[in-house]
Amino acid sequence: MTTHPPSPRKSPEEPPPPSTTSFTHKYAKAVAGRRAKWAVLVLWVLLIGVGGSLAAKLGDVQNNEAQTWLPKNAQATKAVKIAEDYFADKGRLGSVVVYAREDGLTEADLAKVNSDRERFVTDKLAAAEIPQVTVASDKKAAFLSVPIKSDKSDNSVLGDGVKDLRKAAQKNAPDGLDVRITGPAGSIADFIDVYSGMDGALMGATLGLVAIFLLFTYRSPILWLIPLLSVGLASQVASAVVYLLAKHAGLTVNGQSAYVLIVLVLGVGTDYALLLIARYREELHRHEDRHEAMVYALQRCLPAITASAATVGIATLCLVFGSMNSTRGLGPVVALGVVIVYFAMTTLLPAFLVILGRWVFWPFTPRYSAEYVDASVEKEHGFWGRISGFVGRRPRPIWIGTVLVLGALAFGAMSLSTGQTQAEQFTKKVDSVAGQELLSDHFPAGSSAPADVYVKDAGAAAALSTVQGVPGVTSATSVASRNGWTHIESVLKNAPDTQAARQTIDRMRTALDRSSGEAGDAVVGGQTAIALDTSDAQGKEEKVLIPLILAVVLIMLIILLRALVAPLMLLLSVVLSYTAAVGTAALLFHAVGYPRIDRGLLLFGFLFLVALGVDYTIFLMTRAREEVGKRGHRDGVLTSLTVTGGVITSAGLVLAATFSVLAAIPTVASLQQGLLVAVGILLDTFIVRSLLIPALALELGPKFWRPGHPERDEADLPVRPRAESARLG
């Protein structure tokens, strides 16, 4: 048995020529032909001309209001609907202005608070009447509940409203009086503020990182610009399309989906570019005509890139079966981005490369050689040739060892806990968090966001009595009765974003359900109810979407590889990689001081690590299937690891780096998302794809491809001498 990858000199013939009747050949020729390349370039210039200005408006259509993320059948959603329909609450959101002085409020302080109450209404800073001032029993703090105008289609309405309110509240404040804006409106305004302008910053940071990696990979002062320009233009077109759909078709776009779109398009697009350019460089050695070299390279890469884009696109589209608007909106946003970057990397990038010619590779310009054989390829991939030899010598210890390592890392997931508080959602102190802390110091912690109970008038008395008796409720009061409905405000003992407050909401709903008469039809909403219903919906989504995404990935692998055994093994490896990534990331979360996660992180991480992690497996195994058809199973698997090792590792590093950029956003959710995906991609790149999968394939032997037979599939294909070259017409 050989101990190293076989010497490619045993196969001096070049690979079989591409079929000139296949769809992939026609597509490649339509993109890279002598005249077609100019048509492609003109088409993308037109797209950029139209989409460039629209992309900048994506932030204008983001909707970050928490209740719009909820499923239609959630109680919190029903409560919002009742408030809008029967209490004219549509278009406004509650904020709390907190005034505090450590030594106790002075007469001047209280005069300021009462003056503000009148001025906020007079100056139309409040969207409705403001209740009386509430003063703490220790006389050290007071607050006003101020409704603010909001518009789901325009974030600036709420954001500007809170800014104007803050400016007015701080104006002429006595020295030493601490004034803060908190409550639901204050919290959302802070999220809007931290995401404001992040699109451009993220784009710049991501492009900068990609540029550094491309410079290091290609060691060329010119070549790195071509894929960078292509993915940058694709990102602008994708943002423009998403903007149009959000503006005119009701697509839900929030801060999360907007920044994921940018990072994913740049990361995935660079991956596809690395794969295509590596194959194009290889073919330039074999073909004197660069157009022919690109046709051959694109035709060979197209199945892998198409399978990758289809897997990611269809897997993310599965999110439309989620229960929350935010989940359903993320799917189409990401899928659109993947489709657009796919077409950019398989049309615009090839056109750029053939237009500019071989010189873009300077100083390592690939030269045509009639004597170029696979030994030359082996020389170019010396490091990965040694890795391949290592895997070939000890496949069984390697796959067992990597499984044990990944399994051990997965145990770190046991340290995860959910239920972030508002203070744990930002990596810097924001006004709404400081205001909530002041409230908690001087009032019942739930004062900033009381639970809203809506009940028909006939059941109001019974409902009020029931709510007042629920453990964890500090006070409950009927504050309004309109159009046959009564609104009961219930102040909770605990802060509205804590697990204890959610448990109180649960108890309240259970008690009201058990009430007799119309009190049993009461609906409980408010900030805490929204958080509770969101968490419950996320748990249900995991049970539906995770199996659905796995099924999509499995089906795509079966179609691509025309096998059953290999796809099952690959799917299991991806799942193992995901659990190891979650465990490793959990340990990192503790290390950076943010151990608690939002429940949605698990689905987010699963989607992107499974969908993106399988990319590198697709790149490896499509080349393996091609090489197995020419060399046999063992030699084909090891050769594919040798020739794809460098490009896939570069792609993994680029994608991990682009997702790590999310740490620049000052929210804990984005930091954790970036860490989780980056860690998972690195594990998949360096352990799963480089060691586990090749070792498993060698351990199973040719039955890895069952029921297919790649060795037979290409056994009778014609070959031609390398020196022979057919030019494109």
Side-chain angles (χ1 to χ4, degrees):
M1 182 177 292
T2 57
T3 58
H4 295 279
S7 172
R9 292 184 180 87
K10 293 180 181 179
S11 299
E13 304 87 359
E14 77 171 76
S19 168
T20 58
T21 60
S22 67
F23 170 78
T24 53
H25 177 81
K26 293 177 180 177
Y27 182 93
K29 190 173 180 180
V31 168
R34 288 183 174 80
R35 290 180 292 273
K37 63 181 184 284
W38 297 108
V40 169
L41 184 61
V42 169
L43 173 62
W44 277 95
V45 167
L46 293 175
L47 288 175
I48 294 300
V50 174
S53 59
L54 297 178
K57 299 180 180 180
L58 183 58
D60 298 340
V61 294
Q62 292 180 21
N63 182 5
N64 294 301
E65 293 188 16
Q67 61 264 34
T68 64
W69 295 28
L70 290 169
K72 292 182 179 179
N73 58 351
Q75 270 207 46
T77 308
K78 295 177 182 177
V80 172
K81 180 69 173 172
I82 292 172
E84 292 178 350
D85 291 347
Y86 298 100
F87 293 88
D89 277 350
K90 188 172 185 178
R92 65 190 190 210
L93 198 63
S95 70
V96 177
V97 185
V98 188
Y99 305 81
R101 185 184 292 273
E102 188 175 344
D103 298 329
L105 296 174
T106 65
E107 291 297 325
D109 295 337
L110 292 173
K112 159 72 173 169
V113 177
N114 284 291
S115 173
D116 280 354
R117 176 174 176 266
E118 296 178 2
R119 189 158 53 91
F120 292 161
V121 175
T122 302
D123 294 349
K124 297 182 179 180
L125 297 173
E129 290 298 318
I130 300 174
Q132 293 292 326
V133 177
T134 302
V135 181
S137 57
D138 61 8
K139 308 297 183 183
K140 294 182 179 181
F143 73 81
L144 292 170
S145 296
V146 184
I148 298 290
K149 291 180 181 178
S150 67
D151 187 341
K152 296 176 183 178
S153 64
D154 188 352
N155 287 323
S156 63
V157 173
L158 177 64
D160 292 345
V162 171
K163 287 179 182 177
D164 292 342
L165 182 66
R166 181 180 292 114
K167 184 178 179 180
Q170 292 175 344
K171 185 178 181 180
N172 299 324
D175 291 341
L177 182 65
D178 194 0
V179 183
R180 304 284 180 174
I181 310 293
T182 187
S187 179
I188 293 172
D190 283 337
F191 272 106
I192 293 172
D193 184 57
V194 299
Y195 284 122
S196 178
M198 287 305 299
D199 291 354
L202 275 177
M203 173 75 80
T206 307
L207 286 174
L209 271 177
V210 171
I212 292 171
F213 273 99
L214 291 176
L215 271 169
F216 178 79
T217 300
Y218 293 131
R219 293 169 293 167
S220 166
I222 305 163
L223 181 59
W224 65 276
L225 283 169
I226 311 306
L228 195 66
L229 178 61
S230 300
V231 295
L233 295 178
S235 176
Q236 292 296 291
V237 173
S239 296
V241 173
V242 170
Y243 165 78
L244 290 173
L245 291 176
K247 184 74 173 178
H248 303 291
L251 178 65
T252 300
V253 180
N254 53 40
Q256 181 191 64
S257 56
Y259 67 65
V260 168
L261 173 68
I262 293 172
V263 171
L264 188 74
V265 167
L266 294 178
V268 171
T270 304
D271 281 1
Y272 297 163
L274 287 166
L275 184 68
L276 178 61
I277 292 174
R279 192 62 184 255
Y280 178 49
R281 183 201 292 269
E282 187 179 325
E283 298 305 326
L284 283 172
H285 287 295
R286 296 193 176 105
H287 302 273
E288 187 175 5
D289 186 340
R290 68 180 187 276
H291 298 84
E292 181 181 345
M294 178 55 76
V295 168
Y296 197 101
L298 184 55
Q299 181 173 356
R300 284 299 192 182
C301 289
L302 199 59
I305 296 176
T306 302
S308 168
T311 301
V312 178
I314 297 174
T316 53
L317 275 180
C318 290
L319 296 185
V320 300
F321 297 104
S323 56
M324 296 191 297
N325 286 339
S326 59
T327 304
R328 294 198 298 268
L330 180 61
V333 168
V334 174
L336 281 169
V338 171
V339 169
I340 290 170
V341 79
Y342 164 79
F343 281 110
M345 294 303 103
T346 60
T347 58
L348 179 61
L349 177 62
F352 268 148
L353 290 170
V354 291
I355 286 172
L356 295 173
R358 295 173 185 261
W359 68 271
V360 297
F361 289 89
W362 184 88
F364 303 99
T365 307
R367 302 296 182 187
Y368 166 71
S369 171
E371 303 301 322
Y372 185 81
V373 292
D374 287 345
S376 306
V377 179
E378 186 181 59
K379 183 178 178 181
E380 291 180 7
H381 303 281
F383 172 77
W384 284 100
R386 293 190 291 274
I387 295 294
S388 178
F390 170 66
V391 174
R393 288 191 296 272
R394 297 181 178 86
R396 182 169 297 174
I398 287 174
W399 78 258
I400 292 176
T402 52
V403 167
L404 290 175
V405 169
L406 294 172
L409 291 174
F411 277 101
M414 298 176 65
S415 66
L416 281 178
S417 59
T418 59
Q420 283 180 346
T421 64
Q422 181 183 355
E424 295 170 332
Q425 292 176 347
F426 297 91
T427 57
K428 66 177 184 179
K429 183 63 72 71
V430 294
D431 204 47
S432 60
V433 172
Q436 178 59 46
E437 290 174 349
L438 287 177
L439 275 178
S440 299
D441 289 342
H442 303 286
F443 298 92
S447 299
S448 65
D452 298 311
V453 181
Y454 297 97
V455 62
K456 292 288 184 66
D457 287 344
L464 179 61
S465 176
T466 298
V467 171
Q468 288 172 335
V470 173
V473 173
T474 298
S475 64
T477 310
S478 295
V479 295
S481 180
R482 294 183 184 177
N483 303 312
W485 285 82
T486 296
H487 177 199
I488 298 172
E489 277 193 355
S490 175
V491 177
L492 308 184
K493 177 182 178 181
N494 303 101
D497 53 4
T498 60
Q499 186 61 32
R502 296 182 190 184
Q503 292 171 349
T504 301
I505 295 294
D506 254 338
R507 289 193 293 269
M508 189 184 301
R509 287 174 172 175
T510 300
L512 287 169
D513 288 343
R514 292 173 179 170
S515 299
S516 59
E518 296 191 51
D521 296 327
V523 174
V524 181
Q527 182 177 340
T528 306
I530 287 173
L532 174 63
D533 290 344
T534 298
S535 180
D536 289 345
Q538 288 169 339
K540 293 175 182 176
E541 284 183 336
E542 289 170 10
K543 296 176 182 178
V544 173
L545 296 178
I546 287 178
L548 190 58
I549 293 169
L550 286 175
V552 167
V553 171
L554 179 62
I555 291 170
M556 295 304 297
L557 288 173
I558 290 172
I559 294 172
L560 177 68
L561 301 178
R562 288 170 277 173
L564 288 176
V565 176
L568 287 171
M569 292 296 101
L570 299 177
L571 192 69
L572 289 174
S573 71
V574 170
V575 173
L576 178 60
S577 176
Y578 166 72
T579 56
V582 172
T584 307
L587 299 177
L588 289 175
F589 296 162
H590 283 275
V592 298
Y594 302 107
R596 268 204 283 257
I597 66 168
D598 178 78
R599 180 68 179 267
L601 177 68
L602 298 177
L603 180 59
F604 177 95
F606 182 85
L607 171 68
F608 289 104
L609 286 180
V610 171
L612 296 176
V614 82
D615 267 9
Y616 304 132
T617 300
I618 288 173
F619 295 165
L620 173 68
M621 298 315 295
T622 50
R623 186 62 182 261
R625 199 178 193 286
E626 177 186 336
E627 297 295 336
V628 166
K630 297 181 291 183
R631 307 170 187 272
H633 175 74
R634 175 183 170 80
D635 294 349
V637 169
L638 295 177
T639 300
S640 69
L641 176 58
T642 299
V643 298
T644 64
V647 65
I648 294 179
T649 299
S650 297
L653 289 172
V654 167
L655 195 58
T658 55
F659 268 91
S660 69
V661 171
L662 296 182
I665 302 175
T667 65
V668 173
S670 61
L671 170 66
Q672 292 176 336
Q673 288 166 359
L675 280 177
L676 174 58
V677 177
V679 165
I681 290 170
L682 292 176
L683 286 175
D684 201 80
T685 301
F686 289 103
I687 297 180
V688 177
R689 189 268 314 162
S690 300
L691 301 173
L692 176 58
I693 290 175
L696 269 177
L698 294 179
E699 175 77 9
L700 292 173
K703 62 184 178 183
F704 184 75
W705 305 101
R706 287 182 180 172
H709 298 279
E711 291 153 307
R712 292 185 202 163
D713 292 346
E714 298 191 27
D716 297 326
L717 287 176
V719 296
R720 64 182 177 183
R722 289 188 182 280
E724 184 181 329
S725 177
R727 288 183 165 273
L728 293 178

